[in-house]
Amino acid sequence: MKPKNLNKIIKKIFVNLGLSSSHASIVSAAIVEAELVGASSHGLSRVNMYCNRIKKKLINPRPKIKIKNISQSIALVDANNSIGFVAADIAIKKAIKNAKKTGIGLIAVKNSGHYGLSGYYAEKAVKKNLIVMCFTNAPPAIAPYGAKKSLFGTNPICFGTTTSSKVPFILDTSVSVINRGKIRVAAKLRNKIPQNVALDKFGKPTTDPKKALEGVQLPIAGFKGSGLAWMVDILSGVITGGNHGGKAKDPFDDFSGPLNIGHLFITIKPNLFINNYNQRIKENIKRIKKLPKIKGVKEILYPGQNKYKKYKQSLGKNIKIPDKILKELKKLY
Ligand SMILES: NC(=O)c1ccc[n+]([C@@H]2O[C@H](COP(=O)([O-])OP(=O)(O)OC[C@H]3O[C@@H](n4cnc5c(N)ncnc54)[C@H](O)[C@@H]3O)[C@@H](O)[C@H]2O)c1
């Protein structure tokens, strides 16, 4: 299906569930973009879940979002259980505005929900010539190092900067070996998952996505990944007033309450300490790209280059929708 048509369909699905036209547009744009950058784990495969949560009154379709200005740079957004995309959209726009004004923007969000891809918001700031960091916590998926039970989410870490070329540098990575969405999609489409990414509930390695969802996902780099997941939980949950320490509910399986998770957006003007950032970042990337390459590697890529390429290739083409997900969308439309 053409991205433009898909956008209209997704928008209508959310308007039918009570979202305002502008909020539904924010949601559909983020979902379609996830498909365009090849992150289908955070695209159409989640529409049914968001809709279920709206129907069960766990996502507020008409939130009264409050912004508390703490200084010219800092603000706290109370999302009032909006769908995460809407709260994140407001917060990143505010972070951009504050950084432009003062040099730095620091926006915390509480009482929010799953907002999709961190890189989607980072790109908005990078397009305005800012450096950006985005954090969000997520429901339990990873066991803290040494623990038997999962508690941390796959808690993505995202850093973006302008590069002085049109391709932004965006490192946007979950702290699990693969993101949970990929495991969910594999379970839905009855595919296997790679080895060494998850353990079943008895602690045995598994390639069965259903068993992996009942068990634990493995963090990147052992205790280091577990530490990063913990850091993101503190930055997104503890500091913002959002849920933390394993209290965020699983959006797919747990309908006992809203997610109430938190996000944190930090935006920085690149020329705060020097006046030639563009030149310096260009030189930095050039030096790294010029390094001798290992066998089989044609080009040393910087983070975000792969997604940008995928996005360019996808534009104007039809988005492929697996039958199972198409059936779900037809029921919702
Ligand atoms: N909202 C949530 O709760 C939540 C939770 C987890 C993940 N996510 C999102 O899921 C998305 C996917 O996460 P992921 O961990 O699967 O990311 P990924 O493994 O696809 O990519 C991680 C990073 O590595 C970079 N990269 C990939 N190949 C590269 C190469 N050859 N050279 C250099 N850099 C390269 C990518 O550009 C990206 O920045 C992210 O956008 C993340 O924000 C969201």
Side-chain angles (χ1 to χ4, degrees):
M1 193 180 297
K2 286 254 177 307
K4 215 173 157 189
N5 296 342
L6 194 55
N7 208 318
K8 277 188 199 154
I9 289 172
I10 305 299
K11 182 176 172 185
K12 186 158 180 275
I13 288 173
F14 284 97
V15 167
N16 289 346
L17 285 172
L19 267 75
S20 67
S21 171
S22 65
H23 283 183
S25 292
I26 291 168
V27 174
S28 59
I31 288 173
V32 173
E33 170 107 356
E35 294 290 335
L36 291 174
V37 296
S40 48
S41 56
H42 286 70
L44 299 170
S45 62
R46 290 187 180 241
V47 172
N48 198 33
M49 173 274 283
Y50 296 123
C51 293
N52 279 339
R53 294 191 79 79
I54 296 171
K55 286 177 197 159
K56 289 180 195 294
K57 301 196 185 323
L58 300 171
I59 290 176
N60 183 353
R62 292 279 169 166
K64 292 196 168 52
I65 297 176
K66 286 190 194 130
I67 304 175
K68 185 179 165 195
N69 290 311
I70 295 163
S71 75
Q72 283 202 313
S73 301
I74 310 168
L76 171 65
V77 176
D78 182 340
N80 191 219
N81 284 319
S82 79
I83 194 161
F85 302 107
V86 169
D89 184 76
I90 289 172
I92 192 67
K93 283 179 180 155
K94 177 90 179 146
I96 292 168
K97 200 170 150 199
N98 288 6
K100 288 282 176 193
K101 216 182 328 172
T102 69
I104 188 157
L106 174 62
I107 311 295
V109 183
K110 66 174 181 178
N111 296 328
S112 187
H114 185 268
Y115 72 22
L117 307 173
S118 295
Y120 179 67
Y121 308 99
E123 203 180 325
K124 289 179 193 287
V126 170
K127 278 187 179 155
K128 300 283 181 190
N129 285 321
L130 295 169
I131 293 172
V132 60
M133 281 181 267
C134 311
F135 302 98
T136 182
N137 57 0
I142 296 175
Y145 193 73
K148 267 188 185 170
K149 209 172 161 288
S150 63
L151 182 142
F152 298 134
T154 52
N155 296 359
I157 293 178
C158 181
F159 168 88
T161 173
T162 52
T163 57
S164 85
S165 98
K166 59 181 184 305
V167 187
F169 178 118
I170 296 182
L171 172 71
D172 179 19
T173 179
S174 48
V175 292
S176 48
V177 183
I178 63 170
N179 75 60
R180 196 165 186 78
K182 283 186 183 161
I183 302 182
R184 290 215 176 269
V185 172
K188 202 174 223 174
L189 304 180
R190 293 171 201 265
N191 295 332
K192 283 194 165 181
I193 54 169
Q195 282 177 344
N196 304 322
V197 304
L199 307 176
D200 67 16
K201 63 180 175 191
F202 305 108
K204 277 175 60 184
T206 183
T207 55
D208 178 334
K210 286 196 172 144
K211 288 186 180 165
L213 290 172
E214 288 162 12
V216 298
Q217 284 183 243
L218 295 174
I220 50 170
F223 61 82
K224 299 179 189 177
S226 163
L228 290 171
W230 203 334
M231 176 192 86
V232 176
D233 195 42
I234 295 166
L235 285 175
S236 316
V238 178
I239 197 178
T240 60
N243 261 338
H244 63 93
K247 297 283 182 208
K249 304 194 189 298
D250 191 305
F252 289 87
D253 304 325
D254 188 341
F255 299 102
S256 60
L259 262 64
N260 284 345
I261 54 172
H263 324 301
L264 193 75
F265 298 94
I266 306 169
T267 42
I268 306 168
K269 258 191 192 169
N271 277 342
L272 287 182
F273 312 112
I274 37 144
N275 56 17
N276 56 347
Y277 182 82
N278 276 358
Q279 194 189 321
R280 289 170 67 82
I281 189 78
K282 201 171 164 184
E283 174 59 27
N284 174 282
I285 291 173
K286 198 169 144 195
R287 267 190 239 166
I288 291 156
K289 281 196 173 272
K290 271 199 335 212
L291 286 174
K293 291 170 266 299
I294 55 172
K295 210 175 158 197
V297 173
K298 278 197 195 125
E299 185 191 349
I300 296 173
L301 300 173
Y302 57 78
Q305 264 192 295
N306 59 330
K307 299 228 162 137
Y308 184 83
K309 193 172 165 199
K310 175 79 190 156
Y311 179 76
K312 285 282 165 199
Q313 286 166 347
S314 308
L315 273 183
K317 287 197 190 140
N318 284 342
I319 292 174
K320 282 192 195 132
I321 310 173
D323 287 346
K324 206 159 181 191
I325 293 170
L326 192 61
K327 267 188 204 152
E328 276 179 5
L329 294 179
K330 279 184 178 161
K331 272 193 203 158
L332 293 165
Y333 186 60

